[in-house]
Amino acid sequence: MKTKYIFGGVIIVVFLAIMAYLFTQTNISYVNDFSRVMKTNRTVRATGSWVKEKNYVIDKQKNLFTFYIKDAKGKVMKVVYHGTIPNNFESATSMVVTGKYKNGYFEASDILTKCPSKYQGQNKKSSS
Amino acid sequence: MIGNILLTLALISSVFAGVMYYLSYKGYENTLKPARFGFHVSAVAVILASAMLLYAIVTHQYQYEYVYNYSNNDLSLGMLMSTFYAGQQGSFMLWLLMTSIIGVILMNYTAKRGDLEPRVMMSFTLAMFFLLVMVSPFLKSPFIYLWSEPVYISIKSVNPIYLSSPLLQGQIFQNTATGENFVKLTPHLYATLKAAGIAMNDFIIHGKGLNPLLQNFWMQIHPPMLFAGFALSTVPFAFSFAALLKNDYQNWVKQSFPWTLASMMVLGLAIMLGGYWAYGVLGWGGYWGWDPVENSSLVPWLVGVALIHTMLIQKRSQKDGGVGRYAKTNIILGLLVYILVLYSTFLTRSGILGDASVHSFVDPGMTVYLLLLLFILSFLVMGIAALVWRWKYLSEISPGEDSLISRELALFTGAVALLATAIIVLVGTSAPIFAKAVDTSFYNQMNLPIAIIIGLLNGLSLLIRWKHNDNKLVIKNLTMPVLVSLIITGLLALFAGLNNLMLAILTFSSLFALYVNVEITIKILRKKPLHLGAYVAHIGMAVFLLGVVASGGFSVKKTLDLPRGQKVAALGYNFTFVGYKPIENGKKFAFEVEVTKNNSRKTLLPVMYMSDYNNSLMREPDIAEGFLKDVYVSPLGYSDNSTKSKGKEYVLKKGESVVYKGATITFVGFERSKNAIQNMQQGKPFYIGAKIKIKKDGKEYEALPKFQNTGSGGKYAPFTVKKLKLKVNLVKLNAAGSVTISLEELGKANNDGVLPDSLSVEASIKPLISFVWIGVILMVIGFLISIDRRSKEARA
């Protein structure tokens, strides 16, 4: 009876330990302040909005997609993504990029575009 | 209005039914019939309200906010059905509808089984009640009128005959950014229109439309299936809770077994239908992305499947008398399935996952958030309280030990492995609550070893018998399957490039499970067809895992640029972009890509279109599905090279240079055709060219873009330097003797120097992905056979 519990207990402890270890290894924290994104060398997830004025560039040969995003404070960051332009990119209200900042740009492994699910009809309006 | 009355009626009668069931459980007489009546009224009212909502959608009753927000006149009947659950209110409505229908069936089922009904239906009615509150007119009913709060309606939605009406004076506004016009609809305007005899569904004649991602066949069956699974998951909770109430753990296993099987079959199928949607429509390139929304419904499924295995042990061990083994475990897991379903709903609906998921969720507001929280907490507290109440007794009835080599222990270990997977997925998915997230590698690395264990147990548990075993016999039975699987794995490693150790082990374990299960299936096929369920489902599982290994570990993909009419070889196939054609009345474009290999030829039609709904370019992949591999072509973009250049423009005077991407570009001077000036005056053909010298990497090239006049009109002809893939466009000849040119880098040009339009795609080859779907179908068939067998047993 006792050996069974010890055996089971050891398995659970090992399982939890491996999970905790992998969790810390793969965990990605949200950093929405780009000046902090640029300092850290960890993989982070950053939210920003696309800088429309600086157009995006698609490099088909190298399969690179480059654009600029800015955070709430207006800090602009260059993002390079190995892949193609995501669906809804142009109409996204904000985007979440996952990756690392290095060599002067943010190398994104994933882009998530957030879209208004409804028309936002209540935007600024002036009487006509 | 009638819709809201129906929902209110349903709410009130669910409270009534709940109270009556409680009183009936407490032993009050003459309460059971009123309880049944209350529940029936509630269910019928829900069904009628759902029919009304569907009718309102199909007949375009835009006076309802929900219909206006999620549909329009362009949608086909099938798509209008999807509108039913496109928004939050409707999806709760669908869940409620499924719960009502299942509730009625469950009532009939339990009514025939002694005093079971009030105990089971009490908690089930509570679940009904919470869902009814969600869609109640006091909170967020789908029958709320559009004008109940001031709202801006696009002018396109308003019947044009009323636009010039004086009633709308001062109610039309313009969005200065987009120039769109809106009518501000207020309760006041509604009253004014009503007074003038204008009906609302005559005034508003168009809706906003449906999210294009939902406009496909899979979205017509995935959500109903999912919510049916959610509704069915209430049943194990109700049975567990009922068992705790009576402190009787003998019969509930047998009675709830077919229900648990059915709920897991439906939920599992729903999850994989969602996976197929992600693969075939969303263009994820795979069926599973560890997206929080997928994960959150996978967790209750894994727990439910673990429950099926431990229930089987309890049922089997009851043959020795007593309540059987793992009674406590079964009660806990039974309660947990529904609590996890609720937790999943909470995660996906509360807006917590906002930054973590592909699915964009609108923040539902504080009331819904709190209500959802209350919903989970109620069921959690109920479950825990009942457990604590009965804990001492439950601990006493748990009998002895399993022998080390017995089917009991193998099944239990399998259940533990499933629960471990559930915990992994749950932890990863819950991370966003703590403002964290995990990389998908977390799930893959953690689950791979567990999948191996599951595969091995899947085979092993069937080779050993219940209770005690003769070790020698077990080893004898093991030899063949182990040998065969090892040989096949070895062959795959040698000849098919199975070079990853962990994946090779998983392949071995899946093959082992496959061999064992197929062998048993063949053996009992004639004799006991009713017992086939488990084996067929396990064959499905093994086939599924093989599909996962092959498609997950050995898919290859490549981004291709396909100029029209040119064969591009990649990944062992030839891809040719043939052309495009408008489909669905010109709303979408299908891009024809011919995929050839040796003598086989297939035409794929990936689709791209601009959606009015979200002003975005939508892309849909197309797949050449095959037994051994899928060829997956996902469109990325289309460039029409014949249109005017969008390259960078430069103004150059004679002799001036500019540096463009490492090339020095000099405007040397003009070159005119013979007698150009004369011909120009006489209206005869002539040209004026700009001589451009390009220096790059020590080599010199020349370009001569021209202004050409055929006599009747002129046009600029660009010049392409093929070796540099550089296109020089002449934009303007300036009077001051300078030229404006634009420079552009190009893809491959064809022989004429004319650039065809091109399609860029991501092509991928996905080996054995068909095994994933075949595995799922086999699992469903296995479940069906088991449900048949277990419901026959439950009748006895």
Side-chain angles (χ1 to χ4, degrees):
Chain A
M1 195 70 184
K2 243 185 185 169
T3 43
K4 188 176 98 176
Y5 284 115
I6 294 169
F7 189 63
V10 167
I11 289 179
I12 291 170
V13 168
V14 168
F15 169 71
L16 290 178
I18 294 173
M19 190 166 75
Y21 172 74
L22 267 177
F23 188 83
T24 50
Q25 286 303 296
T26 57
N27 113 49
I28 302 162
S29 45
Y30 289 86
V31 184
N32 289 337
D33 183 345
F34 287 180
S35 44
R36 274 181 55 212
V37 172
M38 290 172 184
K39 271 174 207 147
T40 179
N41 52 6
R42 289 186 56 120
T43 299
V44 293
R45 198 167 269 197
T47 310
S49 57
W50 176 41
V51 184
K52 288 195 172 78
E53 295 72 35
K54 298 193 174 188
N55 224 323
Y56 58 78
V57 180
I58 299 171
D59 185 333
K60 278 187 210 157
Q61 261 86 39
K62 289 182 194 152
N63 194 24
L64 288 181
F65 175 56
T66 312
F67 61 101
Y68 293 84
I69 60 173
K70 63 175 178 209
D71 65 3
K73 290 177 187 160
K75 176 105 181 162
V76 175
M77 177 168 77
K78 183 180 176 185
V79 181
V80 176
Y81 173 59
H82 283 270
T84 184
I85 177 167
N87 267 343
N88 301 345
F89 184 84
E90 289 90 343
S91 64
T93 47
S94 71
M95 45 199 69
V96 186
V97 289
T98 309
K100 258 183 203 169
Y101 190 85
K102 58 181 182 189
N103 308 328
Y105 60 86
F106 189 85
E107 197 170 316
S109 58
D110 186 42
I111 307 175
L112 211 140
T113 50
K114 305 291 296 171
C115 295
S117 71
K118 300 174 187 176
Y119 279 138
Q120 300 288 313
Q122 289 91 332
N123 291 343
K124 288 171 212 158
K125 280 180 200 75
S126 62
S127 189
S128 63
Chain B
M1 211 57 219
I2 302 170
N4 274 337
I5 293 168
L6 282 169
L7 286 179
T8 313
L9 175 69
L11 183 65
I12 294 167
S13 43
S14 78
V15 174
F16 175 76
V19 171
M20 283 298 147
Y21 271 130
Y22 177 74
L23 291 176
S24 174
Y25 157 68
K26 280 284 167 193
Y28 289 88
E29 276 170 43
N30 301 325
T31 46
L32 193 57
K33 271 192 181 156
R36 281 179 192 163
F37 178 71
F39 193 89
H40 274 129
V41 169
S42 188
V44 169
V46 167
I47 292 166
L48 286 178
S50 306
M52 271 206 58
L53 179 59
L54 194 60
Y55 178 76
I57 293 168
V58 172
T59 54
H60 304 299
Q61 313 262 335
Y62 297 119
Q63 70 268 35
Y64 296 113
E65 185 194 16
Y66 191 79
V67 180
Y68 171 77
N69 275 335
Y70 298 105
S71 71
N72 64 21
N73 299 341
D74 303 334
L75 295 169
S76 65
L77 186 66
M79 299 305 147
L80 286 169
M81 308 273 268
S82 308
T83 294
F84 189 95
Y85 39 80
Q88 183 196 299
Q89 300 96 307
S91 53
F92 274 117
M93 195 73 196
L94 181 63
W95 187 358
L96 179 62
L97 175 66
M98 295 298 181
T99 306
S100 306
I101 296 170
I102 283 155
V104 173
I105 303 171
L106 182 67
M107 186 202 286
N108 283 330
Y109 182 86
T110 51
K112 289 175 203 149
R113 286 167 173 79
D115 62 341
L116 191 61
E117 184 183 350
R119 282 183 289 133
V120 168
M121 292 307 289
M122 249 166 62
S123 47
F124 196 91
T125 313
L126 186 69
M128 261 293 267
F129 166 76
F130 269 111
L131 290 171
L132 276 162
V133 175
M134 291 289 177
V135 293
S136 73
F138 319 106
L139 200 66
K140 238 178 163 195
S141 152
F143 296 105
I144 284 173
Y145 286 125
L146 189 53
W147 57 85
S148 55
E149 272 173 46
V151 61
Y152 290 95
I153 309 281
S154 171
I155 216 152
K156 288 177 214 150
S157 298
V158 177
N159 193 338
I161 60 169
Y162 299 120
L163 279 180
S164 50
S165 153
L167 296 173
L168 287 183
Q169 204 80 53
Q171 302 296 328
I172 298 178
F173 298 87
Q174 192 178 40
N175 181 336
T176 42
T178 59
E180 258 188 292
N181 287 306
F182 295 88
V183 172
K184 189 180 179 185
L185 186 63
T186 56
H188 177 74
L189 180 62
Y190 164 69
T192 321
L193 288 169
K194 201 182 169 195
I198 299 169
M200 225 358 131
N201 60 353
D202 183 34
F203 181 69
I204 298 166
I205 52 162
H206 210 53
K208 283 182 184 175
L210 183 63
N211 187 335
L213 290 176
L214 301 179
Q215 294 186 31
N216 59 76
F217 172 71
W218 300 103
M219 272 296 120
Q220 285 173 44
I221 51 174
H222 164 66
M225 192 65 92
L226 188 71
F227 285 114
F230 277 13
L232 276 165
S233 304
T234 327
V235 183
F237 182 99
F239 272 104
S240 290
F241 190 70
L244 286 167
L245 284 182
K246 201 185 174 189
N247 210 15
D248 174 0
Y249 310 97
Q250 184 79 38
N251 288 325
W252 84 278
V253 177
K254 188 173 78 182
Q255 288 162 343
S256 68
F257 207 18
W259 288 91
T260 310
L261 285 168
S263 64
M264 289 310 119
M265 176 191 81
V266 173
L267 188 61
L269 181 60
I271 293 170
M272 283 318 287
L273 283 173
Y276 194 83
W277 171 64
Y279 179 63
V281 179
L282 273 188
W284 278 8
Y287 43 86
W288 201 258
W290 297 114
D291 184 271
V293 173
E294 296 176 309
N295 289 350
S296 68
S297 46
L298 178 66
V299 175
W301 187 78
L302 289 166
V303 173
V305 173
L307 170 66
I308 290 172
H309 291 86
T310 49
M311 270 179 138
L312 189 67
I313 308 174
Q314 185 179 354
K315 209 168 154 296
R316 180 78 200 189
S317 56
Q318 278 175 351
K319 285 186 177 171
D320 305 335
V323 293
R325 309 265 301 117
Y326 302 112
K328 196 160 56 176
T329 312
N330 286 333
I331 290 285
I332 296 173
L333 293 183
L335 296 172
L336 213 50
V337 173
Y338 191 55
I339 291 170
L340 286 167
V341 163
L342 294 178
Y343 179 68
S344 150
T345 314
F346 176 71
L347 277 185
T348 51
R349 299 278 165 181
S350 62
I352 283 180
L353 297 180
D355 284 346
S357 169
V358 186
H359 306 63
S360 57
F361 294 101
V362 183
D363 192 350
M366 208 52 189
T367 335
V368 173
Y369 180 92
L370 287 175
L371 198 71
L372 274 170
L373 207 57
L374 187 69
F375 195 171
I376 307 172
L377 285 177
S378 304
F379 277 80
L380 191 63
V381 168
M382 263 168 66
I384 291 174
L387 267 179
V388 170
W389 182 30
R390 302 297 192 194
W391 191 257
K392 213 173 150 208
Y393 180 76
L394 269 172
S395 303
E396 280 166 10
I397 57 164
S398 288
E401 290 279 292
D402 291 326
S403 153
L404 191 60
I405 299 176
S406 66
R407 193 180 281 188
E408 287 91 330
L409 195 67
L411 278 175
F412 182 68
T413 319
V416 170
L418 283 166
L419 290 177
T421 309
I423 292 170
I424 292 162
V425 180
L426 189 68
V427 166
T429 311
S430 303
I433 295 181
F434 312 105
K436 300 263 176 194
V438 290
D439 196 70
T440 50
S441 64
F442 171 77
Y443 300 110
N444 293 332
Q445 286 174 14
M446 285 298 296
N447 285 326
L448 195 58
I450 297 178
I452 292 171
I453 295 171
I454 289 175
L456 291 176
L457 285 168
N458 182 346
L460 189 68
S461 64
L462 300 171
L463 290 180
I464 51 185
R465 279 187 236 145
W466 298 100
K467 291 197 235 166
H468 299 286
N469 277 274
D470 178 0
N471 293 357
K472 274 182 197 158
L473 190 71
V474 172
I475 291 170
K476 194 185 145 214
N477 284 339
L478 270 172
T479 322
M480 262 311 269
V482 168
L483 263 179
V484 170
S485 322
L486 264 179
I487 290 168
I488 297 178
T489 311
L491 288 175
L492 286 172
L494 283 175
F495 300 110
L498 181 61
N499 48 17
N500 177 310
L501 182 65
M502 285 303 265
L503 289 181
I505 300 175
L506 182 56
T507 307
F508 164 75
S509 109
S510 307
L511 286 170
F512 171 66
L514 187 63
Y515 184 99
V516 173
N517 280 291
V518 169
E519 198 182 19
I520 297 176
T521 304
I522 294 169
K523 217 182 276 174
I524 66 169
L525 190 61
R526 291 275 168 79
K527 284 182 262 168
K528 293 177 182 170
L530 208 56
H531 288 65
L532 274 175
Y535 307 110
V536 174
H538 284 132
I539 291 174
M541 189 67 216
V543 171
F544 176 84
L545 283 176
L546 287 172
V548 169
V549 170
S551 64
F554 301 96
S555 285
V556 279
K557 66 176 180 183
K558 203 171 177 193
T559 311
L560 303 174
D561 204 24
L562 305 174
R564 190 200 287 252
Q566 286 178 31
K567 243 185 209 176
V568 175
L571 310 167
Y573 288 82
N574 287 314
F575 296 87
T576 317
F577 168 44
V578 182
Y580 62 88
K581 58 186 179 196
I583 53 169
E584 295 180 26
N585 300 324
K587 271 189 271 174
K588 298 179 179 182
F589 290 93
F591 293 79
E592 206 172 318
V593 178
E594 221 173 62
V595 183
T596 51
K597 184 182 191 176
N598 303 330
N599 290 324
S600 76
R601 163 194 303 265
K602 257 185 183 154
T603 302
L604 291 182
L605 295 169
V607 171
M608 286 196 278
Y609 60 98
M610 276 305 290
S611 162
D612 290 337
Y613 182 82
N614 49 14
N615 273 319
S616 293
L617 181 67
M618 305 301 295
R619 307 174 175 89
E620 283 170 19
D622 198 15
I623 309 159
E625 288 180 74
F627 180 68
L628 288 177
K629 55 185 133 187
D630 278 12
V631 181
Y632 189 90
V633 172
S634 182
L636 301 177
Y638 167 74
S639 50
D640 176 7
N641 287 324
S642 63
T643 52
K644 262 207 149 181
S645 126
K646 284 172 203 149
K648 200 154 185 194
E649 285 189 8
Y650 301 94
V651 180
L652 292 178
K653 283 183 193 155
K654 200 170 167 180
E656 267 185 350
S657 311
V658 64
V659 179
Y660 176 80
K661 300 207 173 174
T664 312
I665 291 152
T666 316
F667 171 42
V668 182
F670 292 108
E671 186 188 294
R672 298 181 178 91
S673 56
K674 273 185 189 170
N675 308 323
I677 311 274
Q678 258 170 294
N679 287 351
M680 201 192 302
Q681 284 156 357
Q682 293 167 5
K684 283 181 185 166
F686 71 96
Y687 74 81
I688 300 173
K691 247 178 133 173
I692 310 272
K693 203 182 272 174
I694 302 161
K695 242 186 185 172
K696 191 180 184 182
D697 304 331
K699 284 183 190 165
E700 252 183 50
Y701 306 88
E702 216 168 79
L704 191 68
K706 291 171 186 170
F707 175 76
Q708 267 172 327
N709 196 311
T710 52
S712 53
K715 67 171 186 184
Y716 292 101
F719 191 95
T720 304
V721 184
K722 271 185 261 170
K723 280 184 183 155
L724 293 178
K725 287 180 188 166
L726 182 74
K727 187 173 169 189
V728 185
N729 300 288
L730 190 57
V731 180
K732 220 162 119 192
L733 295 164
N734 302 320
S738 63
V739 287
T740 308
I741 56 165
S742 76
L743 302 168
E744 227 184 318
E745 265 193 319
L746 296 169
K748 287 174 196 138
N750 66 11
N751 294 334
D752 313 328
V754 179
L755 282 149
D757 49 347
S758 70
L759 177 74
S760 62
V761 296
E762 186 180 275
S764 48
I765 310 295
K766 300 181 185 300
L768 296 189
I769 203 163
S770 63
F771 277 34
V772 171
W773 317 123
I774 295 170
V776 171
I777 294 167
L778 285 172
M779 276 190 259
V780 169
I781 295 172
F783 266 110
L784 283 172
I785 301 171
S786 291
I787 292 168
D788 184 34
R789 173 180 171 194
R790 302 302 175 184
S791 49
K792 274 175 189 149
E793 285 177 2
R795 218 172 286 159

